[in-house]
Amino acid sequence: EPEVTQTPSHQVTQMGQEVILRCVPISNHLYFYWYRQILGQKVEFLVSFYNNEISEKSEIFDDQFSVERPDGSNFTLKIRSTKLEDSAMYFCASRTEGYGYTFGSGTRLTVV
Amino acid sequence: KNEVEQSPQNLTAQEGEFITINCSYSVGISALHWLQQHPGGGIVSLFMLSSGKKKHGRLIATINIQEKHSSLHITASHPRDSAVYICAVGRSGTYKYIFGTGTRLKVLA
């Protein structure tokens, strides 16, 4: 069964450093998403991406965040200058028409 | 008030019991997902519903659009069913999903 692949599974970074979280969505999917889950809290929407542009973003997704689909297969989330409160599990998801989501297994980001 | 409410928050059951987890929402939706999150954190999509009922193995999901309510049932529960079950709704007119806080299920052998 096709999968959404996320790398790395766990990343530890120093506060203030830039991090890039990587996702390979399912190849024929058209809609891409990043969500995050702070430990013990519910999953929160960050951003959706369609047709090579952001289609919707949440208030969490400020200027420190950016997304890119650099080569038609990868879908990346960049955090420019990480803060302690960015520590969370970050999930990538993709879907086709009809809203059938497939989630990646997540990247646990720890900012120290 | 949360747009997606789940109940119960925590549930402990004995192996073999029939389990029901409920989800109520207050917004117009295009679809509803039931997801399973294991202790390691990964999320697996169990069902996507826009109407009616779906069954997969021992899992059954139903949705009542008029009442804005969905239920996830697990028949003949097993310890390997222990996980957090999350309801997420796709809000009409947007691309994003809104997640419930999850129901933590523990099935005892």
Side-chain angles (χ1 to χ4, degrees):
Chain A
E1 188 168 329
E3 291 184 342
V4 173
T5 305
Q6 287 188 245
T7 54
S9 57
H10 189 191
Q11 180 150 1
V12 181
T13 189
Q14 295 275 342
M15 191 168 55
Q17 294 294 306
E18 175 184 284
V19 294
I20 297 176
L21 309 182
R22 303 182 191 278
C23 169
V24 179
I26 293 173
S27 59
N28 64 341
H29 283 191
L30 301 174
Y31 303 85
F32 312 108
Y33 304 83
W34 283 102
Y35 288 82
R36 80 170 185 190
Q37 186 180 33
I38 295 171
L39 187 65
Q41 298 186 20
K42 65 181 182 179
V43 177
E44 302 171 288
F45 169 78
L46 290 178
V47 66
S48 60
F49 192 86
Y50 171 71
N51 202 24
N52 285 321
E53 60 182 24
I54 290 173
S55 44
E56 192 169 357
K57 60 183 181 179
S58 72
E59 56 275 8
I60 303 167
F61 194 88
D62 61 20
D63 292 343
Q64 291 299 311
F65 291 87
S66 62
V67 289
E68 202 175 41
R69 195 146 191 258
D71 57 11
S73 60
N74 290 285
F75 179 51
T76 61
L77 174 70
K78 182 193 290 186
I79 309 174
R80 273 181 253 286
S81 178
T82 49
K83 309 184 198 64
L84 294 175
E85 54 264 37
D86 294 327
S87 294
M89 181 78 97
Y90 288 81
F91 293 101
C92 172
S94 68
R95 69 174 178 90
T96 59
E97 296 291 349
Y99 302 92
Y101 264 51
T102 301
F103 282 88
S105 54
T107 293
R108 185 172 298 284
L109 176 65
T110 303
V111 183
V112 296
Chain B
K1 187 181 187 301
N2 289 327
E3 293 167 302
V4 181
E5 297 272 3
Q6 284 186 240
S7 63
Q9 290 188 350
N10 294 284
L11 181 57
T12 301
Q14 292 293 327
E15 183 173 359
E17 283 186 14
F18 180 84
I19 288 161
T20 296
I21 300 169
N22 296 298
C23 175
S24 296
Y25 52 92
S26 58
V27 297
I29 71 168
S30 51
L32 181 146
H33 268 262
W34 281 102
L35 308 162
Q36 182 189 56
Q37 185 171 34
H38 280 281
I43 290 179
V44 174
S45 180
L46 299 174
F47 294 104
M48 185 193 72
L49 296 162
S50 53
S51 64
K53 177 178 174 178
K54 286 191 177 180
K55 184 175 190 292
H56 186 258
R58 295 181 294 106
L59 301 178
I60 303 166
T62 63
I63 187 168
N64 185 317
I65 297 294
Q66 287 74 30
E67 294 186 4
K68 295 188 174 179
H69 182 267
S70 175
S71 293
L72 176 69
H73 306 284
I74 305 174
T75 61
S77 58
H78 190 277
R80 65 175 174 266
D81 297 325
S82 298
V84 176
Y85 291 84
I86 302 170
C87 169
V89 301
R91 191 170 183 167
S92 297
T94 80
Y95 292 92
K96 68 181 183 184
Y97 269 63
I98 304 167
F99 286 67
T101 52
T103 294
R104 187 174 300 276
L105 171 66
K106 187 170 185 178
V107 182
L108 303 175

